[in-house]
Amino acid sequence: MAEEHKSTNYARLALGAGLLAAAAVSVAVFVPRRRLAFVTEPLAGLVKLPVAAAVTAWAMSLWAQATAPQAPVFDDLRPFDEF
């Protein structure tokens, strides 16, 4: 049961990554470089702030917790299943 749930999460992860990749490619292909530079110029200043480093560290700690090895989970620990 836990295996099926895990594969569903991987499918969602793959779907999300595919959607993000498709969006990035479409922006790179269809948006002119000058317009993209004009739009992203204010965002370049935000990256240099210490808050950006703190948010990145927080997101990396969440990723480390989510991908850490865990003990297997068994849901069938009923007290009388030998009957």
Side-chain angles (χ1 to χ4, degrees), residues 21-35:
V25 168
S26 66
V27 165
V29 169
F30 295 116
V31 176
R33 240 182 225 200
R34 290 181 190 177
R35 184 172 291 175

Side-chain angles (χ1 to χ4, degrees), residues 4-28:
E4 293 173 11
H5 185 64
K6 195 173 201 177
S7 65
T8 304
N9 287 338
Y10 286 141
R12 288 181 183 172
L13 181 66
L15 180 65
L19 289 174
L20 285 175
V25 168
S26 66
V27 165

Side-chain angles (χ1 to χ4, degrees), residues 14-63:
L15 180 65
L19 289 174
L20 285 175
V25 168
S26 66
V27 165
V29 169
F30 295 116
V31 176
R33 240 182 225 200
R34 290 181 190 177
R35 184 172 291 175
L36 186 63
F38 179 72
V39 170
T40 58
E41 189 175 330
L43 298 176
L46 290 176
V47 173
K48 296 175 184 173
L49 294 176
V51 174
V55 168
T56 304
W58 172 72
M60 291 302 294
S61 70
L62 286 180
W63 180 262

